[in-house]
DNA sequence: ACCTGAACACCGTTCAAGT
DNA sequence: ACCTGAACACCGTTCAAGT
């Protein structure tokens, strides 16, 4: 699998690797990693021109393969989108975990950090966010990996709520219900921003995100 | 109401023009109300099979006109969707106002009622909701009617917040910011439900909606 | 095993032409 | 004034065929 790959048709770019030894350790697109390449191309297309600007044919062309090639790696367009969404949930959970880490001993602070991280991820990766929460996979059960990744992100929120309850800073009620209250608030703000519903106000987002998370924690308090 | 007609499954069908009398009293589709008919057809199609199952050609066929006819009434597909969204915001504001009416003298109760009405509208009219908050009209400024209708619904929430402040039951802070907190919470719950993110939990929605709105009001309280 | 080319049944949109 | 028919440049998806 040398570097003399196929001849992509339109403007594409060769992943620089080569050098000495030909250790194709990096993402090898045309040979060996079409799946990865299509995922990246899909995200780039969505990021550039909106969620329904994504076209299987367009992604294939961008990567330099025929329009039929993607079907080697994804059952259909929905499967591609589900895979993108799954990666999004994973990245979001990772970002949330990272930003929550410093608040290991302060569950209320952690809850706040998780909420802010949620909004931050959504607004920094609107394309991913839209795919994650779009009606893309009509049948979620058909994509178990997606479902699992989504639950992982939500679980961070629910866990923080439970820790808050154990620490006596959140009222004792069904933690699932309270977690949903928190989730709704940060998800709502994220969705409003990402869908452009806030207009000018979205320019100064952080104070708003802080107001929303603060209000959540106030509402949850004993 | 009154859509006793329009059943052209596949082939187009001529709307029979009454056997005797010819009193085109009902919504006269082909002559005089194609616009209205297209709006109804669009909503029906979205309701039946999802937001991107809507097709200009499909709507035209459903109504019994040629594929080019819609362009007499809408500049393009986006304009049709913007019109659907505008009607949705109007209907939502109407429903919110109706459910808030009994709480004229109790601003906190009114705020709660508005929130519940918001969620109820979203879950009872998921198709409308998706179009209202989709990325459909990329440029919102290009559809002033839509923008105005959306602000009207939001204004009900903001007004209730201000009345709550005047009554001393909500802390005095920028009412716009607090209104956004309330909006985020009910919008987030609505979006999660409509997008199927809650799975089984959405079966018993009302307790959840009540928990969310209660938590909002608790957070806003002095 | 992985990809291509051609094909099918769709789209949104435009435009000359009909009535 | 309002609509039709045909056309163009796209789609998602399938399938026989190439290497």
């Amino acid at each position: 699998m040398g570097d003399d790959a196929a001849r992509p048709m339109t403007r594409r770019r060769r992943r620089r690797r080569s050098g000495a030894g030909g250790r194709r350790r990096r993402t090898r697109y045309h040979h060996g990693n079409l799946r990865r390449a299509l995922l990246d191309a899909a995200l780039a297309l969505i990021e550039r021109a909106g969620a329904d600007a994504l076209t299987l044919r367009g992604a294939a062309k961008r990567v330099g393969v025929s329009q039929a090639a993607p079907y080697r790696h994804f059952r259909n367009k929905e499967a591609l989108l589900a895979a993108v969404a799954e990666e999004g949930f994973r990245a979001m959970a990772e970002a949330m975990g990272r930003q929550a880490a410093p608040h290991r001993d302060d569950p209320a602070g952690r809850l706040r950090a998780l909420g802010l991280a949620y909004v931050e991820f959504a607004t920094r990766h609107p394309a991913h966010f839209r795919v994650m929460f779009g009606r893309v996979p009509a049948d979620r059960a058909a994509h178990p990996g997606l479902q699992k990744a989504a639950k992982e992100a939500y679980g961070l929120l629910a866990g923080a709520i439970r820790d808050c309850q154990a620490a006596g800073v959140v009222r004792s009620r069904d933690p699932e219900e309270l977690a949903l209250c928190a989730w709704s608030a940060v998800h709502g703000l994220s969705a409003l921003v990402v869908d452009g519903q806030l207009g000018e106000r979205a320019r100064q987002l952080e104070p708003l995100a802080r107001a929303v998370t603060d209000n959540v924690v106030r509402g949850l308090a004993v």
Side-chain angles (χ1 to χ4, degrees), chain A:
Chain A
M1 313 143 183
D3 277 270
D4 50 8
R7 315 249 59 218
M9 329 199 47
T10 53
R11 84 289 190 234
R12 79 283 95 179
R13 207 162 27 120
R14 174 74 84 273
R15 200 34 126 272
R16 83 305 181 46
R17 195 328 107 309
S18 68
R23 319 266 295 224
R24 48 176 177 58
R25 46 195 309 94
R26 254 310 175 214
T27 55
R28 270 281 56 76
Y29 275 22
H30 294 161
H31 292 95
N33 224 340
L34 217 203
R35 188 190 145 88
R36 176 75 260 145
L38 287 168
L39 249 16
D40 292 342
L43 195 59
L45 288 170
I46 295 171
E47 220 123 47
R48 172 175 310 170
D52 30 45
L54 169 62
T55 215
L56 231 35
R57 289 172 104 113
K61 186 191 275 186
R62 183 177 229 269
V63 168
V65 292
S66 83
Q67 84 243 189
Y71 290 88
R72 266 315 113 189
H73 302 269
F74 300 97
R75 194 156 27 101
N76 51 27
K77 187 179 181 181
E78 178 171 318
L80 207 206
L81 284 169
V84 171
E86 185 180 332
E87 289 200 340
F89 275 113
R90 253 184 250 296
M92 180 185 234
E94 207 255 314
M96 287 170 73
R98 194 170 355 101
Q99 286 187 231
H103 305 85
R104 189 172 292 272
D105 305 321
D106 169 19
R110 174 144 46 97
L111 184 55
R112 242 181 285 263
L114 288 170
L116 292 175
Y118 191 103
V119 177
E120 188 184 323
F121 180 89
T123 53
R124 289 171 66 119
H125 307 283
H128 247 142
F129 186 79
R130 279 203 205 87
V131 176
M132 288 157 66
F133 291 101
R135 67 293 139 199
V136 191
D139 181 14
R140 247 162 187 80
H143 304 276
L146 169 57
Q147 213 168 11
K148 189 173 160 234
K151 283 204 172 144
E152 200 181 311
Y154 167 74
L156 293 173
L157 237 38
I161 298 265
R162 272 191 225 93
D163 291 351
C164 281
Q165 288 178 320
V169 298
V170 157
R171 55 200 164 101
S172 62
R173 198 167 166 168
D174 177 10
E176 291 296 319
E177 196 175 278
L178 298 183
L180 182 59
C181 291
W183 190 16
S184 292
V186 294
H187 182 74
L189 178 60
S190 301
L192 291 172
V193 171
V194 165
D195 290 339
Q197 211 71 27
L198 258 39
E200 275 309 301
R201 277 170 291 181
R203 300 269 311 164
Q204 266 284 41
L205 185 61
E206 211 190 307
L208 299 182
R210 220 162 270 282
V212 167
T213 50
D214 280 358
N215 204 69
V216 168
V217 175
R218 283 177 60 101
L220 296 173
V222 285

